[in-house]
Amino acid sequence: MTEARTTPLRRHPAQRRSAERVERMLDACAEILDESGYDGLSTTRIAQRAGVAIGSLYQFFPDKRAVAQALALRNLEMFGDRVSSRMRQGGYRHWSDTVGVVIEIFVEMQRTVPGFRVLRFGDVADQHLLDAGADNNSVVADRLRAMVVGVFGLPDTPELARAFAVAVEAGDAVLKMAFRREPDGDPQVVTEADRLIRGYLATYIDGA
């Protein structure tokens, strides 16, 4: 499974107070993204919003891209934890039952998680923000594939890896369309994203 290997931090916070300060910076970054987008983001604004000295920010982050990268990684972990938690609850008789769950969690994060609608997993800043060796959607696809393979005991083949990569790209595009049409996501377009992904993956999983 592709892991997010790139670290944006100059140094990791060794004390709880430092870790809390970094989290305030990430929260401030998310708020500014919602208000002004990535172009409106700056280290000065992040430091002011977080209530820290600019020098304190530079102790941990070299620039605004690094702060956005850390926030994108936090988004990825949040998304992965929520999907994994739902899958661990069980009750899914077929792999396709999880497609709706993944989309539901993604849509809910778009609606409720500060900064996620703008940054999501980092494409607004860099296609390789999560991992220097893989594009952002590939990192997401690999994590989702690993969870589904683990839960349902599917054979993890190169063909399945490619299918998940294509499914995530297609789903991402359709869900962007849903949120362009309505602020909270056009439910009919969200349903189409579900249908598209289930049908496409079924040709590689059920038809294998």
Side-chain angles (χ1 to χ4, degrees):
M1 178 173 67
T2 299
E3 295 291 345
R5 295 187 296 270
T6 306
T7 175
L9 288 168
R10 277 180 159 160
R11 68 180 180 87
H12 287 275
Q15 300 178 337
R16 180 178 177 180
R17 185 171 62 182
S18 295
E20 290 174 347
R21 189 158 63 243
V22 168
E23 287 301 309
R24 289 206 312 274
M25 294 177 203
L26 298 186
D27 291 341
C29 176
E31 292 174 5
I32 295 166
L33 285 170
D34 278 340
E35 294 169 5
S36 307
Y38 186 73
D39 289 342
L41 194 65
S42 70
T43 52
T44 299
R45 289 189 69 186
I46 294 168
Q48 290 174 342
R49 180 68 60 91
V52 301
I54 189 68
S56 180
L57 184 147
Y58 284 131
Q59 285 180 359
F60 296 99
F61 301 105
D63 50 33
K64 76 171 189 177
R65 179 189 180 281
V67 185
Q69 184 181 13
L71 181 60
L73 288 166
R74 189 172 76 172
N75 288 343
L76 178 65
E77 292 307 313
M78 183 187 302
F79 177 69
D81 288 347
R82 291 183 180 187
V83 172
S84 178
S85 176
R86 289 285 293 275
M87 287 191 182
R88 286 198 305 268
Q89 292 173 13
Y92 303 110
R93 293 178 296 177
H94 194 262
W95 67 265
S96 63
D97 296 334
T98 65
V99 173
V101 171
V102 171
I103 291 176
E104 176 189 329
I105 291 169
F106 183 85
V107 167
E108 184 63 17
M109 287 181 67
Q110 284 263 109
R111 293 170 176 164
T112 62
V113 175
F116 188 77
R117 185 186 294 247
V118 176
L119 183 67
R120 303 202 294 174
F121 303 118
D123 283 1
V124 69
D126 189 332
Q127 289 284 340
H128 295 83
L129 199 65
L130 297 176
D131 188 325
D135 63 79
N136 301 327
N137 277 347
S138 292
V139 175
V140 175
D142 283 352
R143 291 202 172 191
L144 291 174
R145 187 185 85 253
M147 283 187 267
V148 172
V149 165
V151 170
F152 296 97
L154 303 176
D156 196 6
T157 64
E159 291 76 20
L160 185 66
R162 185 177 63 246
F164 263 81
V166 172
V168 167
E169 286 288 345
D172 182 47
V174 176
L175 290 173
K176 283 178 180 175
M177 174 183 171
F179 279 87
R180 282 199 307 269
R181 291 191 170 195
E182 293 187 16
D184 286 333
D186 183 329
Q188 292 180 325
V189 177
V190 171
T191 298
E192 290 303 310
D194 186 312
R195 182 179 299 160
L196 182 153
I197 294 170
R198 286 178 196 249
Y200 173 73
L201 288 179
T203 64
Y204 285 88
I205 300 175
D206 297 336

